[in-house]
Amino acid sequence: MELFIYLFAALFSVLNPIGTVPIFVGLTQHDSQKERSRISLWTAINVFIILLVSYFIGQYVLTFFGISIDALRIAGGIVIVNSGFSLLSGKFNKKRGINKKIENEAQQRNDIALTPLAIPMLAGPGSMSLLIAFYQEHHEIHEIIISSLAILAIAVSIFVILKSAHYLARILGASGIVAISRIVGFIVISIGIQYIVSSIVNIIKGNLM
């Protein structure tokens, strides 16, 4: 249970589905409730697949390119910290790879579930590197099962949040969403710094031994 909660909390902080609510509302403001539900469902499915692929196959990509796990954790930590600072400064949306031009193009497409919602706004480099590093430390059968369940729980949470996005936007308001995003920002920064510090310690220990 501790492993499940840790991975779920870490992924939720990095993906920040609450912060995606305003963008989802803007992109689906002219869609019907049925269409919004469909987009929410496929966004969650896409994120689930992307995260699972990152978790199970990411390590082989590292091996192919000769990248050490500590280097990945440092790079991922920098990305995560950057996302956290973006949350705190209120510039998170711009940092997720979507600008006005992309938003306008997305509004004209029939399906936005994969891009830009699943990628890059939800499943980005931070979550992918987190899962790759996580697999290196937790790859026993029971740990894999628990991790997969945590990823599934994240996907379900994304579906519920996006499906309720228009309702949440009315209840929380712009200031409420900003407040939640900035609280999450502190957690994101802490996770990123922990990744960087632990990796530097491992490198130093490895060189001294």
Side-chain angles (χ1 to χ4, degrees):
M1 183 57 69
E2 291 181 0
L3 185 67
F4 177 90
I5 294 174
Y6 173 79
L7 182 57
F8 179 87
L11 284 175
F12 192 90
S13 300
V14 175
L15 269 67
N16 187 30
I18 297 294
T20 310
V21 167
I23 302 174
F24 182 86
V25 170
L27 293 177
T28 61
Q29 56 184 331
H30 301 302
D31 294 328
S32 64
Q33 183 61 45
K34 181 179 180 180
E35 180 65 11
R36 291 171 186 168
S37 297
R38 186 190 70 82
I39 294 174
S40 301
L41 176 61
W42 277 106
T43 300
I45 291 174
N46 289 332
V47 170
F48 177 70
I49 294 173
I50 292 168
L51 294 182
L52 271 187
V53 170
S54 299
Y55 181 67
F56 286 106
I57 303 179
Q59 59 169 333
Y60 301 107
V61 175
L62 292 185
T63 302
F64 179 79
F65 287 103
I67 302 173
S68 70
I69 186 62
D70 287 321
L72 176 77
R73 289 171 67 90
I74 292 175
I78 293 173
V79 172
I80 294 170
V81 169
N82 183 56
S83 296
F85 278 117
S86 298
L87 280 168
L88 288 175
S89 64
K91 299 178 180 179
F92 188 70
N93 295 343
K94 296 180 181 179
K95 298 297 183 180
R96 296 306 288 267
I98 179 171
N99 52 35
K100 193 63 179 178
K101 179 181 178 181
I102 295 175
E103 181 178 345
N104 291 335
E105 291 177 352
Q107 288 174 331
Q108 297 172 1
R109 292 202 303 266
N110 293 327
D111 196 351
I112 58 174
L114 180 59
T115 358
L117 290 177
I119 302 175
M121 288 194 300
L122 286 167
S127 58
M128 294 178 186
S129 59
L130 186 152
L131 285 171
I132 294 173
F134 193 83
Y135 182 85
Q136 296 290 326
E137 301 174 359
H138 306 88
H139 48 263
E140 299 294 333
I141 295 299
H142 70 282
E143 293 176 326
I144 291 176
I145 294 174
I146 293 173
S147 300
S148 299
L149 290 176
I151 294 173
L152 177 61
I154 281 292
V156 172
S157 300
I158 289 172
F159 170 69
V160 172
I161 290 172
L162 293 185
K163 184 177 173 59
S164 310
H166 287 259
Y167 178 75
L168 290 174
R170 289 195 297 268
I171 296 298
L172 296 176
S175 59
I177 293 175
V178 169
I180 293 175
S181 295
R182 293 188 176 180
I183 291 173
V184 171
F186 280 108
I187 301 175
V188 172
I189 292 174
S190 300
I191 292 174
I193 291 177
Q194 181 60 50
Y195 265 62
I196 295 172
V197 170
S198 61
S199 299
I200 292 176
V201 170
N202 287 339
I203 292 173
I204 293 175
K205 287 182 177 180
N207 290 332
L208 291 179
M209 292 179 63

